[in-house]
């Protein structure tokens, strides 16, 4: 599609971008109370991992790097289904998706 | 093919590099938007933008298959699932559940921020020490383009993992069915029987 | 000869009775239980009489040596076989085999070999006859006396087991076998004293008997171990000749210690000072048990032990003197207590202790024949007294207080008749069995090898005891049978059935004629018992060689004194109790201190409680509080520590998902930082450069 030997950003730049995306996602997970958005942030964190995998697959010339992205997408899909199922159950239990209200396991 | 690209442009103004930077910034910005939007519908909408920008990055890195899967699975299926749940639960009409302020919350925010600043700095410094001039691998882009390069190991060395992933999907589906189905026996009044 | 190979049947038959009654008794029914219990006893008595007693008492054991399974020994070394030993199987074997030289040296140190076997001689046969025949009579009596008891089969199972164990005690071929029976009868005694275990007193009394006996058993065991160390064997056929042959042994401290330790065992079993306290309490058991175990057989085991080991005791005249002194002191002390008791069975119990003291006086002075003689006659009349007392309480609905009796002469003519015979016998009415045996003991005390002052002190205490015996026995008789009835309201006194009276008459007959077993020298020189147990005695021993039987005027004076003692006691009891005199009350009020001391049994139980029970209880309290505060405290400290730790750490588990997520992230970041720093970072860089380069 594109010319084969086009200049690209160096791998560390892409890794740094992946890291930044990971941190943003992690902050969302830690700071938001809405379970749905927390899940969205988890998806973003996985996405950043995917980006790092693709980058390093090109650096090391190994197909497994990209293959893992494929598997991670599978796991992410399953996890999203389960996670959103949990959100529904949580909502049914508490009438809200506030994670702080799901504290039955408090010691 | 290469005459398609104007020669002599500075590195950053090369179209592919330019697009990478642009889509990278877009991905970052949309991610920030997902975290900061109060309305879950808006957040999920920004999530779509984020996923599409990432797919574009894959495309620029000659990972066309992954880009397509990204758009189909993430931007398609998962996002639809999110929206469906939001509508089902009508969370958008509920009071905002943003990052509220409070003594404990402040501590949490500061701790999380410090942790991630530390993480970012350390990782970035590491990346800087690697240098920005890492050459790409010896595998030519033409090879990386092909779907065979990706799929042959999938069906040869990693076939078992591939098949196991299908079991994982089925198990997840069954699990979700189990704990989202209302249990009539439990919720029903004794007098109904 | 061939009869002796069936020797094992004698203890086996009651044991079979025990197994049958004990295992199947509940289903057999009372009639069957009675038939089994009395049947095995009759069979054992008949086997004893015809298969065992005839050859041995007839003196036709044959020449010394092995005759089939029976080994005939010549214990007396006069060339005539006088003891038969039969080994059933080798029981305990250890050390070097026979014939091999012992590694450690020592004169008699050889392999430890204790067979499970029996040793019968005249002494054994006399004991066996007493046990089986009196046991049979008491079984017959008890089969009627216990008829209404719920534990009928249990009672006879225990009683059969007791007879079996008692037979093993007297028949065993070694001190170890004797100890087996010794412990077996102790167990049965415990079980039978506590037979009415639903009441409060009997189980406690049983435990007391068991515990006091343990003190004695401890001494017995130590004495046995000393004998084993010194002579290398505990089999009579080996041990006794070795003791007699050991030249330098006589009079040593070792001999004294061994004899005294064995005597401690005898003291426990035979209720001698200071271990006599259990026997009066043992009266909490059923009356036939008191008659069989605590009057006729088991309590005489200590006397049997001393006679059986007379060679050991004669080796230490000091120990024998101790035995005689303890015996006469016990006799006197128990007699004084018996003067003021009001419980029919308690009086008889103290009388038993007193009479046992007589027996120990006899064996202590070397008059082993007299000791055994009194053992046998005492078994007759004391069993009769207990059974008669049982008959009285049976007729009075369980009443045992002599203050609530009186006038039973007319209501219970048969019981009255036999009780009168027994009372005359024990008090020493001339011509009856008790007169001859007691007279012989007192005469032996005078004739014994100790110095004149000791001898006359022993005799004086003995004759005083005889007066007291006569007095308290007639007091019992008059209070029970003559005078006006003082029964509780609602009591309809009645005579006992013939199944109970039959054995009483048999025992009364034996009490009358028992003296003919060993008539004194001034009547005849054909003395049956002396002839029978003479081979069992060590005639070379210090006590027997210096023994002088009183003769002539001295003998006549002694007999006159004995008759006078009987008459004095009878006269006092008659004048005070037969006519309802006020004298006893006056005396009791005037000397209330002495009266209180006597009815309080000299406060010996209280002294023991203060000396042993209380310190032990305090030790237990201390141990208990140590356990409660220190041991339990440590355990509880663990619990408190865990609770405290949980109280602290439970705040970590806040239940907030995002707090957990934060912890995970902090951990991940920390891990990453560690990897990035120092070695971690150089390693990571190494990977990168290797991958790139």
């Amino acid at each position: 599609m594109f010319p084969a030997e086009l200049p690209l950003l160096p791998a560390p730049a892409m890794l740094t971008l992946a890291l930044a995306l990971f941190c943003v996602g992690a902050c969302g997970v830690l700071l938001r109370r809405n379970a749905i958005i927390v899940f969205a942030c988890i998806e973003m964190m996985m996405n950043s991992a995917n980006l790092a995998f693709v980058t390093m697959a090109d650096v090391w010339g190994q197909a497994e790097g990209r293959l893992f992205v494929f598997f991670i997408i599978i796991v992410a899909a399953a996890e999203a289904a389960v996670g959103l199922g949990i959100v529904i159950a949580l909502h049914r239990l508490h009438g809200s998706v506030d994670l702080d209200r799901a504290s039955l396991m408090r010691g | 093919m290469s005459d398609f690209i104007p020669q002599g442009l500075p590195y950053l103004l090369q179209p592919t590099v330019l697009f990478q930077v642009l889509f990278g910034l877009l991905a970052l910005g949309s991610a920030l938007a997902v975290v900061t939007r109060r309305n879950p519908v808006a957040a999920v909408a920004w999530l779509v933008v984020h996923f599409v920008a990432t797919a574009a990055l894959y495309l620029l890195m000659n990972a066309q298959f992954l880009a397509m899967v990204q758009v189909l699975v993430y931007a398609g299926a998962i996002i639809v699932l999110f929206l469906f749940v939001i509508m089902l639960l009508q969370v958008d009409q509920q009071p905002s559940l943003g990052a509220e302020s409070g003594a404990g919350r402040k501590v949490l925010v500061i701790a999380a921020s410090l942790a991630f600043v530390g993480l970012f700095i350390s990782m970035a410094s590491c990346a800087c020490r690697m240098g920005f001039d890492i050459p790409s691998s010896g595998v030519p882009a033409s090879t990386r383009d092909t779907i065979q390069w990706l799929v042959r190991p999938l069906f040869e060395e990693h076939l078992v993992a591939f098949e196991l992933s299908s079991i994982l999907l089925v198990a997840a589906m069954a699990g979700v069915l189990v704990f989202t189905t209302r249990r009539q026996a439990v919720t029903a009044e004794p007098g109904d029987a | 000869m061939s009869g002796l190979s069936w020797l094992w049947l004698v203890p086996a038959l009651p044991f079979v009775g025990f197994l049958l009654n004990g295992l199947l008794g509940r289903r057999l029914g009372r009639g069957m239980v009675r038939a089994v219990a009395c049947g095995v006893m009759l069979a054992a008595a008949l086997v004893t009489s015809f298969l065992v007693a005839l050859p041995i008492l007839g003196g036709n054991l044959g020449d010394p040596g092995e005759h089939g399974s029976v080994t005939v020994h010549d214990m007396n070394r006069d060339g005539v076989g006088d003891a038969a030993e039969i080994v059933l199987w080798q029981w305990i074997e250890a050390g070097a085999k026979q014939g091999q030289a012992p590694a450690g040296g020592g004169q008699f140190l050889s392999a430890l070999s204790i067979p499970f076997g029996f040793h019968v001689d005249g002494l054994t046969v006399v004991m066996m006859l007493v046990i089986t025949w009196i046991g049979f009579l008491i079984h017959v009596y008890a089969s009627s006396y216990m008829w209404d008891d719920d534990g009928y089969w249990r009672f006879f199972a225990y009683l059969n087991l007791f007879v079996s164990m008692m037979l093993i005690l007297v028949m065993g071929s070694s001190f170890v076998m004797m100890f087996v029976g010794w412990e077996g009868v102790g167990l049965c005694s415990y079980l039978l004293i506590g037979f009415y275990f639903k009441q409060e007193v009997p189980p406690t009394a049983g435990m007391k008997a068991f515990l006091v006996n343990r003190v004695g058993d401890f001494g017995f065991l130590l004495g046995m171990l000393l004998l084993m160390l010194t002579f290398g064997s505990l089999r009579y056929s080996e041990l006794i000749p070795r003791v007699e042959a050991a030249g330098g042994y006589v009079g040593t401290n070792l001999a004294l210690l061994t004899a005294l330790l064995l005597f401690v065992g005898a003291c426990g079993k035979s209720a001698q000072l200071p271990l006599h306290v259990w026997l009066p309490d043992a009266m909490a058991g059923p009356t036939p048990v008191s008659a069989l175990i605590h009057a006729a057989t088991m309590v005489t085991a200590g006397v049997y032990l001393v006679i059986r080991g007379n060679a050991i005791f004669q080796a230490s005249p000091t120990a024998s003197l101790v035995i005689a002194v303890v015996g006469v002191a016990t006799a006197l002390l128990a007699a004084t207590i018996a003067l003021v008791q009001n419980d029919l069975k308690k009086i008889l119990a103290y009388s038993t202790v007193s009479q046992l003291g007589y027996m120990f006086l006899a064996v202590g002075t070397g008059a082993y024949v007299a000791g055994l003689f009194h053992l046998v006659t005492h078994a007759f009349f004391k069993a009769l007294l207990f059974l008669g007392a049982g008959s009285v309480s049976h007729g009075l609905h369980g009443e045992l207080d002599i203050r609530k009796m009186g006038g039973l002469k007319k209501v219970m003519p048969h019981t009255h008749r036999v009780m009168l015979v027994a009372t005359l016998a024990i008090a020493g009415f001339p011509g009856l069995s008790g007169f001859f045996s007691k007279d012989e003991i007192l005469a032996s005390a005078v004739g014994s090898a100790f110095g004149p002052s000791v001898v006359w002190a022993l005799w004086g205490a003995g004759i005083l005891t005889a007066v007291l015996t006569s007095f308290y026995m007639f007091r019992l008789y008059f209070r029970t049978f003559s005078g006006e009835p003082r029964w509780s309201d609602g009591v309809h006194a009645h005579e006992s059935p013939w199944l109970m009276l039959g054995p009483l008459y048999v025992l009364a007959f034996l009490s009358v004629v028992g003296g003919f077993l060993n008539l004194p020298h001034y009547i005849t020189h054909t003395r049956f018992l002396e002839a029978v147990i003479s081979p069992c005695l060590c005639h070379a021993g210090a006590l027997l060689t210096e023994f002088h039987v009183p003769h002539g005027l001295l003998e006549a004076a002694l007999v006159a004194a004995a008759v006078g003692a009987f008459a004095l006691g009878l006269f006092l009891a008659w004048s005070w109790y037969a006519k309802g005199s006020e004298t006893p009350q006056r005396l009791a009020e005037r000397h209330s201190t002495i009266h209180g001391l006597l009815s309080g049994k000299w406060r010996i139980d209280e002294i023991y409680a203060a000396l042993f029970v209380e310190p032990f209880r305090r030790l237990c309290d201390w141990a208990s509080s140590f356990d409660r505060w220190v041991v339990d405290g440590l355990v509880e400290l663990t619990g408190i520590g865990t609770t405290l730790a949980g109280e602290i750490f439970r705040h970590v588990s806040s239940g907030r998902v995002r707090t957990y997520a934060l912890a995970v992230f902090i951990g991940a970041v920390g891990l990453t930082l560690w990897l990035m720093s120092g070695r971690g970072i150089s390693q990571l860089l190494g990977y990168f450069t290797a991958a790139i380069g």
Side-chain angles (χ1 to χ4, degrees):
Chain A
M1 179 174 167
F2 287 109
E5 302 301 336
L6 287 179
L8 286 172
L9 280 174
M14 293 307 285
L15 288 179
T16 309
L17 174 64
L19 184 63
L21 291 176
F22 182 85
C23 290
V24 170
C27 283
V29 168
L30 292 181
L31 300 179
R32 295 301 301 257
R33 287 193 302 166
N34 191 321
I36 295 172
I37 292 178
V38 167
F39 269 107
C41 292
I42 289 172
E43 298 295 339
M44 284 202 311
M45 287 164 74
M46 286 213 239
N47 212 41
S48 72
N50 285 352
L51 195 58
F53 265 115
V54 172
T55 309
M56 292 315 285
D58 283 1
V59 170
W60 286 336
Q62 284 190 321
E64 273 80 0
R66 290 187 176 183
L67 207 56
F68 257 84
V69 174
F70 182 65
F71 281 120
I72 288 171
I73 289 173
I74 294 173
V75 171
E79 184 255 346
V82 174
L84 288 170
I86 291 173
V87 169
I88 290 173
L90 192 69
H91 188 266
R92 193 177 295 155
L93 196 65
H94 294 292
S96 111
V97 289
D98 186 355
L99 276 182
D100 282 358
R101 293 178 66 176
S103 57
L104 281 177
M105 298 289 280
R106 185 178 60 237
Chain B
M1 291 255 274
S2 57
D3 32 295
F4 179 72
I5 306 295
Q7 301 290 319
L9 279 172
Y11 176 71
L12 272 176
L13 289 181
Q14 296 275 342
T16 45
V17 176
L18 196 60
F19 275 121
Q20 271 191 313
V21 172
L22 282 177
F23 280 119
L25 288 176
L26 183 60
L28 197 58
S30 58
L32 283 169
V34 168
V35 174
T36 50
R37 290 305 90 190
R38 297 210 151 187
N39 187 345
V41 179
V44 170
W46 278 110
L47 193 59
V48 179
V49 175
H50 173 77
F51 285 151
V52 170
T54 322
L57 283 176
Y58 291 163
L59 206 57
L60 286 168
M61 291 160 88
N62 286 306
Q64 293 92 345
F65 177 71
L66 288 183
M68 190 186 71
V69 171
Q70 172 88 1
V71 171
L72 281 179
V73 175
Y74 268 125
I78 293 180
I79 290 300
V80 167
L81 205 57
F82 269 96
L83 288 173
F84 190 71
V85 169
I86 288 168
M87 286 168 193
L88 185 72
L89 303 182
Q90 299 177 326
V91 230
D92 51 332
Q93 291 171 13
Q94 287 184 352
S96 158
L97 291 171
E100 78 279 39
S101 57
R105 193 58 50 194
K106 267 177 195 161
V107 173
L108 189 67
V109 170
I110 292 165
S113 310
L114 282 179
F116 289 109
V117 167
L119 182 66
F120 187 83
I121 290 172
S122 63
M123 295 288 277
S125 73
C126 175
C128 290
R129 265 183 256 180
M130 284 166 65
F132 279 85
D133 50 350
I134 296 174
S136 279
S137 62
V139 182
S142 56
T143 314
R144 280 184 271 142
D145 268 351
T146 57
I147 191 73
Q148 287 93 339
W149 189 64
L150 177 65
V151 167
R152 190 170 294 281
L154 178 64
F155 288 113
E156 283 171 358
E157 297 147 53
H158 304 290
L159 183 64
V160 176
F162 179 68
E163 295 297 341
L164 283 177
S165 66
S166 68
I167 296 176
L168 175 74
L169 284 172
V170 172
M173 191 172 74
V176 172
L177 275 177
V178 165
F179 66 74
T180 54
T181 309
R182 281 177 188 276
R183 280 169 210 158
Q184 296 298 329
V186 175
T187 51
E189 291 295 316
D192 296 350
Chain C
M1 271 322 303
S2 61
L4 280 179
S5 52
W6 292 95
L7 194 60
W8 57 272
L9 265 180
V10 181
L13 278 166
F15 197 79
V16 167
F18 157 68
L19 289 179
L20 277 176
N21 280 338
L23 296 176
L24 306 170
R26 203 188 287 269
R27 285 178 217 156
L28 284 178
R30 275 156 209 258
M32 260 325 261
V33 169
R34 184 215 311 246
V36 167
C38 298
V40 293
M41 283 307 299
L42 183 61
L46 289 175
V47 169
T48 307
S49 305
F50 293 107
L51 295 186
V52 184
L54 278 184
I56 288 181
L57 299 186
N60 54 351
L61 271 177
D63 297 327
E66 286 192 26
H67 302 272
S69 58
V70 183
T71 311
V72 173
H73 296 292
D74 173 19
M75 302 298 284
N76 216 14
R77 280 172 309 219
D78 57 357
V80 180
D82 44 38
E85 189 179 10
I86 174 166
V87 174
L88 294 183
W89 63 81
Q90 285 299 320
W91 181 30
I92 302 171
E93 270 193 294
K97 284 274 187 293
Q98 294 284 328
Q100 285 179 306
Q107 196 187 354
F108 294 115
L109 199 69
S110 62
L112 172 68
S113 166
I114 296 165
F116 195 95
F118 300 122
H119 177 105
V120 282
D121 52 15
L123 172 62
T124 313
V125 165
V126 171
M127 293 297 291
M128 282 167 75
L129 286 170
V130 168
I131 294 162
T132 52
W133 279 112
I134 293 187
F136 168 66
L137 292 174
I138 293 175
H139 271 70
V140 171
Y141 174 94
S143 71
S144 170
Y145 181 86
M146 299 296 290
W147 188 256
D148 295 326
D149 199 283
D150 288 336
Y152 197 69
W153 60 275
R154 189 163 59 90
F155 178 80
F156 279 103
Y158 292 163
L159 216 54
N160 279 160
L161 180 65
F162 167 78
V163 173
S164 177
M165 286 298 161
M166 191 67 208
L167 286 167
I168 287 177
L169 192 158
V170 297
M171 291 169 66
S173 65
S174 63
F175 277 113
V176 179
M177 285 291 292
M178 188 198 276
F179 195 71
V180 172
W182 194 271
E183 293 302 310
V185 293
L187 168 71
C188 294
S189 166
Y190 163 76
L191 290 172
L192 284 163
I193 294 170
F195 181 74
Y196 300 124
F197 59 85
K198 285 176 184 164
Q199 298 168 18
E200 194 188 344
V201 178
T204 326
M207 220 176 305
K208 184 174 177 183
F210 208 76
L211 288 175
V212 174
N213 266 300
R214 297 248 63 76
V215 180
D217 296 346
F218 185 62
F220 188 15
L221 259 181
L222 288 181
M224 270 170 43
L225 290 176
L226 265 185
L227 279 178
M228 185 72 209
L229 277 175
T230 321
F231 296 105
S233 176
L234 289 171
R235 284 171 74 175
Y236 306 142
S237 56
E238 292 170 0
L239 173 67
I240 302 297
R242 285 180 193 176
V243 175
E244 290 177 8
Y249 182 65
V250 176
T252 57
N253 286 335
L254 181 64
L256 175 66
L257 184 62
T258 311
L260 283 183
L261 284 172
L262 289 176
F263 177 59
V264 169
C267 269
K269 207 46 115 194
S270 294
Q272 295 300 294
L273 274 178
L275 300 178
H276 69 285
V277 288
W278 66 271
L279 186 55
D281 286 24
M283 295 302 126
T287 305
V289 169
S290 309
L292 178 61
I293 302 185
H294 304 123
T297 54
M298 185 188 85
V299 288
T300 61
V303 183
Y304 170 79
L305 168 65
V306 179
I307 301 176
R308 172 58 75 200
N310 69 81
I312 300 156
F313 289 96
Q314 288 198 58
S316 173
T318 319
S320 285
L321 182 59
V322 169
I323 294 174
V325 170
V326 167
V328 81
T330 311
L332 193 53
L333 179 109
T336 55
I337 298 173
L339 294 177
V340 295
Q341 297 298 310
N342 283 317
D343 185 306
L344 189 56
K345 286 181 72 181
K346 280 274 162 68
I347 298 175
L348 293 177
Y350 281 107
S351 164
T352 305
V353 176
S354 175
Q355 300 297 311
L356 288 165
Y358 267 130
M359 293 175 211
F360 277 101
L361 168 64
V363 297
T365 52
Y368 301 106
V369 183
L372 184 68
F373 185 27
H374 197 58
L375 189 160
V376 174
T377 57
H378 175 256
F380 295 156
F381 56 67
K382 189 50 67 63
L384 175 55
L385 282 169
F386 268 115
L387 296 186
S391 176
V392 167
S393 83
H394 191 258
L396 289 176
H397 308 298
E399 185 61 69
L400 279 172
D401 192 336
I402 57 170
R403 285 169 298 190
K404 295 179 179 170
M405 294 179 183
L408 287 172
K409 202 186 292 184
K410 296 184 186 68
V411 191
M412 298 180 168
H414 300 291
T415 307
H416 163 250
R417 209 168 294 149
V418 295
M419 283 290 274
L420 179 60
V421 169
T423 307
L424 287 171
I426 190 175
F429 181 74
L432 296 190
S433 58
F435 170 76
F436 289 122
S437 56
K438 204 186 294 178
D439 192 39
E440 187 168 341
I441 288 172
L442 292 174
S444 313
V446 173
S448 62
F450 308 115
S453 54
V454 176
V455 158
W456 286 109
L458 291 177
W459 180 85
I463 201 79
L464 180 58
T465 309
V467 177
L468 297 177
T469 307
S470 176
F471 173 78
Y472 68 69
M473 282 315 298
F474 279 107
R475 168 176 177 261
L476 184 151
Y477 168 78
F478 288 130
R479 296 288 275 173
T480 309
F481 290 102
S482 58
E484 291 304 308
R486 299 181 298 275
W487 315 332
S488 308
D489 296 336
V491 169
H492 302 287
H494 57 88
E495 183 58 284
S496 301
W498 273 103
L499 212 50
M500 283 163 70
L501 293 176
L504 291 183
Y505 272 110
V506 177
L507 284 169
F509 173 73
L510 289 171
S511 302
V512 172
V513 303
F516 290 95
L517 283 172
N518 211 31
L519 287 173
H521 291 286
Y522 56 83
I523 296 178
T524 174
H525 286 287
T526 325
R527 287 155 59 85
F528 171 75
L529 268 184
E530 189 171 303
V532 162
I533 74 159
S534 177
C536 315
L537 301 181
C538 171
H539 292 284
L543 292 181
L544 290 188
T545 47
E546 295 172 33
F547 193 81
H548 307 290
V549 183
H551 280 295
L553 200 60
L554 179 60
E555 187 175 28
L558 291 177
V559 173
V563 177
F566 162 75
L568 180 61
L570 171 59
F571 173 74
L572 283 177
W574 176 75
S575 58
W576 287 1
Y577 293 104
K579 298 184 297 186
S581 159
E582 293 294 315
T583 321
Q585 277 85 3
R586 268 212 326 276
L587 275 176
E589 280 157 22
R590 196 184 301 163
H591 305 287
S592 57
T593 321
I594 298 174
H595 186 263
L597 198 60
L598 292 185
S599 44
K601 305 151 193 175
W602 291 95
R603 308 262 177 248
I604 289 174
D605 277 333
E606 284 78 4
I607 293 169
Y608 285 176
L611 272 182
F612 303 111
V613 181
E614 268 313 304
F616 183 69
R617 195 163 282 164
R618 245 173 280 144
L619 180 72
C620 290
D621 284 344
W622 183 84
S624 164
S625 38
F626 180 83
D627 181 62
R628 191 173 311 136
W629 297 112
V630 180
V631 179
D632 285 9
L634 282 175
V635 174
E636 276 177 27
L637 204 65
T638 322
I640 290 169
T642 314
T643 314
L644 266 178
E647 199 59 40
I648 292 166
F649 288 115
R650 83 187 181 92
H651 298 292
V652 175
S653 181
S654 64
R656 295 184 174 186
V657 185
R658 288 179 303 153
T659 319
Y660 301 163
L662 177 63
V664 173
F665 280 123
I666 289 173
V669 169
L671 202 62
T672 314
L673 287 178
W674 176 76
L675 277 173
M676 292 295 123
S677 65
R679 240 181 89 180
I681 195 159
S682 65
Q683 228 162 16
L684 208 64
L685 281 176
Y687 290 141
F688 276 114
T689 46
I692 294 157

